Amino acid sequence: MTTFTAPDGTMLAYRVLGGGAPLVCLPGGPMRDSAYFGDLGGLGAYRTLVVLDHRGTGRSAEPADVSSYRCDRLVGDVEALRRHLDLDRLDLLGHSAGANVALQYAARHPERVGRLALVTPSTRAVGLAATAALREEVTRVRAGEPWYPAAVAALDSMVAGRATDDAWQAIAPFFYGRWDAAARVHQAAEPHQRNQEAARVFGADGAFDPAATRAALAAHHGPVLLLAGEVDLGAPPGLVAQLGELMPGADLVVQPGAGHYPWLDDADRFTATLAAFLG
């Protein structure tokens, strides 16, 4: 682990994997320890991965001001990391909720962004949300799975506002292309990796300005990759396609059979897609 200091004095940590030109990687959750990335399926064979632990997660310190967990405030941490690394421009990867930070960074600092890869991205920063129809497209293809009846019942209860305490556990298989032992281990680690207080603040009032972010992204002409998982409940491909319509020249790739963590479902395909885009 290496550390640097954010503008407000908070000590932030990152780890470095692999070799080649740097790729700054922003985890999701929101506010989850970047340990869940693992080695991103071996992506370090193509790039030096600079994997940030957001403030209050992993090895990074908790800030004195908890309101700094807000998504728009995290943009300043990314810019501080760029300065610390002495890079003129960043190649940036944002996963899930981390894509919201990456999108707002690109909107605020377009001249500092080289290549932008958004993996199974959350779209709150641009005011898009998945509809029931989009979610059904990815859930109904899992109907033959043994866990499906319990999972779809739990999902229906959540949509209807009748969720039980174990509903999130029941729908977990919808986030993985294969609900196997590796997926179960990965999912079981999540509660211990997430800063719940920070996650609540991440999307607080003022965290997002969709109109301003959309306007900035419409003027963004740098290379953008949108990687969706074919069976991802968290970021259905149809939703990711809508994000692509807001960004000129964005390329959408749907990874077959993948869920929310495509590097776990098919590491070779994931790394090949990212390597081809990153050059």
Side-chain angles (χ1 to χ4, degrees):
M1 277 288 181
T2 307
T3 62
F4 67 103
T5 304
D8 67 352
T10 304
M11 186 278 292
L12 303 179
Y14 63 94
R15 56 194 170 99
V16 179
L17 305 171
L23 175 66
V24 172
C25 303
L26 305 180
M31 308 308 286
R32 185 173 176 182
D33 183 335
S34 69
Y36 83 91
F37 270 160
D39 65 355
L40 281 173
L43 188 59
Y46 303 93
R47 285 296 194 94
T48 295
L49 309 183
V50 180
V51 184
L52 177 66
D53 275 338
H54 291 302
R55 54 181 54 219
T57 71
R59 300 287 183 88
S60 289
E62 296 182 353
D65 177 8
V66 296
S67 71
S68 66
Y69 288 135
R70 217 172 62 179
C71 181
D72 60 318
R73 302 275 298 274
L74 298 180
V75 171
D77 293 345
V78 179
E79 175 61 4
L81 176 57
R82 181 194 67 79
R83 293 175 180 272
H84 167 75
L85 296 172
D86 195 26
L87 295 173
D88 183 57
R89 296 201 301 175
L90 294 177
D91 285 345
L92 196 57
L93 181 152
H95 172 246
S96 189
N100 292 307
V101 183
L103 285 167
Q104 294 199 73
Y105 183 85
R108 195 180 304 176
H109 302 286
E111 75 287 355
R112 298 302 186 186
V113 177
R115 293 183 175 272
L116 178 62
L118 304 176
V119 177
T120 58
S122 168
T123 53
R124 295 180 69 185
V126 294
L128 293 174
T131 63
L134 288 175
R135 295 200 187 280
E136 185 180 1
E137 287 179 6
V138 299
T139 57
R140 67 188 177 196
V141 301
R142 314 297 295 277
E145 303 277 0
W147 46 262
Y148 178 83
V152 79
L155 182 60
D156 289 344
S157 73
M158 294 172 75
V159 171
R162 296 182 282 98
T164 60
D165 290 341
D166 60 356
W168 279 106
Q169 177 62 37
I171 69 168
F174 281 130
F175 291 86
Y176 294 87
R178 295 184 306 276
W179 188 235
D180 56 13
R184 289 180 170 88
V185 169
H186 189 266
Q187 193 276 329
E190 180 177 3
H192 309 289
Q193 293 173 337
R194 187 193 301 265
N195 182 328
Q196 297 291 0
E197 177 188 28
R200 287 190 291 270
V201 176
F202 180 84
D205 289 346
F208 307 114
D209 185 344
T213 303
R214 284 178 178 233
L217 295 177
H220 183 85
H221 295 283
V224 178
L225 172 68
L226 304 177
L227 178 60
E230 182 184 24
V231 294
D232 179 19
L233 178 65
L239 179 64
V240 181
Q242 291 177 25
L243 173 60
E245 293 171 0
L246 304 177
M247 307 180 73
D251 291 326
L252 172 65
V253 175
V254 179
Q255 183 170 316
H260 202 58
Y261 310 95
W263 61 91
L264 295 179
D265 297 314
D266 188 337
D268 289 345
R269 187 182 289 269
F270 174 79
T271 56
T273 299
L274 268 293
F277 170 70
L278 295 167

